[in-house]
């Protein structure tokens, strides 16, 4: 998803927006009239990070209530008062029985994690994609390069986001004892130690590496179909991002269920599975899910997960592409002489 049409091997710079023209400068275009595809291919690192941070914050803020519902629906053995049959029904029930603001509990810690995590995520992806495309596919766009770049970006993203995910999901659970993010952090640190914040990290990577590989490959493929010239086209970014997120979400739901169990350490579920202490490790999580709910257990909350990820990735890509375009254009205009 470069700023203009063309792969790594094509021209890296389009018409320069510096006010000069080959006819002596008298007929130069206003910088603001340049098309998106004519901007330089290589946006700066700071541009990728700023656009990525904005995309992450808005994505998680807008979709947070649905994320809260997803966490509840993935509970392996919920309290009878916390059993839900649909996303809308669950959200309505939570608001009615627990208060209007209950679905937003934990949003602050998620926003604090999402900004830096997505800044690193998009910056790493863009730079690794460009580097790997030069290695694998000299004249265009390599899906293998996109998949590997997405996987590498996930390592940085999850290192920042995993502690925020732990705190967020513990605050989202039904009858959670934690009333604030700070109290949750203190309690987990005191009772379970630092390792608790990364207990699901390997599971998170096991889930997110295939998720992001599918996500990025699908997004870039769809962009080739609906926006082959890679112009700034909000409709194409929304469609491609939404479909890519939905496909990746459905394919990786079993891993997300295991991650939720490791993050929340549900007491009722662990007691039924005769597990004393704390559950750890992907293999143990998979066995516990199957022991408690069989094969259907791996797909608990799939509807909520797809309904969360589809608009979430659509928002993320459209916001990211907008800010990347806007910031780069602003920088070029600021360099143009009056």
């Amino acid at each position: 998803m470069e700023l203009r049409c063309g792969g790594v091997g094509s021209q890296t710079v389009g018409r320069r927006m510096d006010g000069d023209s080959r006819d002596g400068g008298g007929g130069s275009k206003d910088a603001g009239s340049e098309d998106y595809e004519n901007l330089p291919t290589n946006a700066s690192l700071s541009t990728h990070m700023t656009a990525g941070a904005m995309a992450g914050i808005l994505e998680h803020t807008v979709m947070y209530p649905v994320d809260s519902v997803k966490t509840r629906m993935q509970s392996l053995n919920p309290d009878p008062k916390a059993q839900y049959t649909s996303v809308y029904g669950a959200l309505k029930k939570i608001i009615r029985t627990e208060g209007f603001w209950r679905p937003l509990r934990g949003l602050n810690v998620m926003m604090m994690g999402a900004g830096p995590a997505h800044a690193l995520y998009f910056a790493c992806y863009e730079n690794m994609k460009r580097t790997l495309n030069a290695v694998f596919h000299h004249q265009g766009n390599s899906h293998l390069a996109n998949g590997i770049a997405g996987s590498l970006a996930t390592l940085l993203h999850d290192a920042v986001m995993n502690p925020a995910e732990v705190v967020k999901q513990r605050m989202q659970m039904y009858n959670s004892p934690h009333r604030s993010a700070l109290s949750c952090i203190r309690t987990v640190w005191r009772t379970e130690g630092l390792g608790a914040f990364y207990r699901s990290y390997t599971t998170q990577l096991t889930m997110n590496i295939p998720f992001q590989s599918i996500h990025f490959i699908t997004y870039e493929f769809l962009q080739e179909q609906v926006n082959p010239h890679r112009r700034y086209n909000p409709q194409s970014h929304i469609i491609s991002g939404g479909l890519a997120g939905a496909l990746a979400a459905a394919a990786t739901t079993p891993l997300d269920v295991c991650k939720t169990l490791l993050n929340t350490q549900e007491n009722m579920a662990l007691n039924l599975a005769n597990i004393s202490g704390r559950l750890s490790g992907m293999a143990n999580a998979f066995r516990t899910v199957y022991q408690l709910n069989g094969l259907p257990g791996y797909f608990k909350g799939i509807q909520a997960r797809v309904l969360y990820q589809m608009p979430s990735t659509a928002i993320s890509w459209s916001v990211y592409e907008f800010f990347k375009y806007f910031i780069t254009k602003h920088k070029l205009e600021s360099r143009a002489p009056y």
Side-chain angles (χ1 to χ4, degrees), residues 24 64 103 126 173 192 211 220-221:
Y64 193 81
E126 292 281 13
M173 294 300 290
E192 301 176 49
F211 175 91
E220 297 285 1
F221 172 77

Side-chain angles (χ1 to χ4, degrees), residues 307-324:
L307 288 177
Y308 168 77
Q309 288 293 349
M310 190 170 186
S312 179
T313 47
I315 291 169
S316 180
W317 278 110
S318 59
V319 172
Y320 173 71
E321 294 283 13
F322 168 77
F323 276 100
K324 188 171 72 170

Side-chain angles (χ1 to χ4, degrees), residues 1-2 125-126 129 133 141-143 146-147 214-227 230 240 244 317 321:
M1 153 212 72
E2 300 297 337
Y125 173 70
E126 292 281 13
K129 181 183 74 169
N133 262 305
N141 185 44
S142 167
H143 295 305
N146 298 335
I214 295 170
H215 168 208
F216 280 116
I217 290 171
T218 304
Y219 178 82
E220 297 285 1
F221 172 77
L222 291 174
Q223 279 290 286
E224 288 180 345
Q225 309 308 309
V226 301
N227 187 21
R230 301 302 177 98
S240 299
W317 278 110
E321 294 283 13

Side-chain angles (χ1 to χ4, degrees), residues 89-239:
L91 189 59
K92 185 178 178 181
K93 184 177 180 180
I94 292 170
I95 292 173
R96 187 178 67 248
T97 59
E98 302 176 53
F100 181 80
W101 299 107
R102 185 61 181 89
L104 297 178
R105 186 181 294 176
L107 175 60
N108 56 344
V109 72
M110 180 52 56
M111 291 175 64
M112 290 174 63
H118 280 71
L120 293 171
Y121 168 73
F122 277 108
C124 178
Y125 173 70
E126 292 281 13
N127 283 277
M128 291 307 302
K129 181 183 74 169
R130 184 163 52 248
T131 301
L132 293 172
N133 262 305
V135 175
F136 294 136
H137 206 84
H138 294 290
Q139 296 296 325
N141 185 44
S142 167
H143 295 305
L144 177 60
N146 298 335
I148 295 175
S151 299
L152 294 174
T154 300
L155 296 175
L156 292 176
H157 174 274
D158 287 4
V160 176
M161 281 294 286
N162 207 84
E165 282 278 346
V166 172
V167 175
K168 176 206 73 172
Q169 290 196 311
R170 294 199 182 205
M171 295 182 71
Q172 287 173 332
M173 294 300 290
Y174 176 76
N175 209 23
S176 171
H178 309 294
R179 298 301 176 215
S180 71
L182 185 59
S183 68
C184 181
I185 292 170
R186 286 173 174 169
T187 300
V188 173
W189 184 291
R190 185 176 63 255
T191 60
E192 301 176 49
L194 178 63
F197 295 104
Y198 283 95
R199 187 178 286 125
S200 66
Y201 183 57
T202 54
T203 304
Q204 184 96 338
L205 289 177
T206 305
M207 176 187 74
N208 279 349
I209 286 176
F211 175 91
Q212 298 300 353
S213 296
I214 295 170
H215 168 208
F216 280 116
I217 290 171
T218 304
Y219 178 82
E220 297 285 1
F221 172 77
L222 291 174
Q223 279 290 286
E224 288 180 345
Q225 309 308 309
V226 301
N227 187 21
H229 299 298
R230 301 302 177 98
R231 295 181 174 92
Y232 173 59
N233 186 330
Q235 184 177 7
S236 78
H237 303 317
I238 291 171
I239 293 172

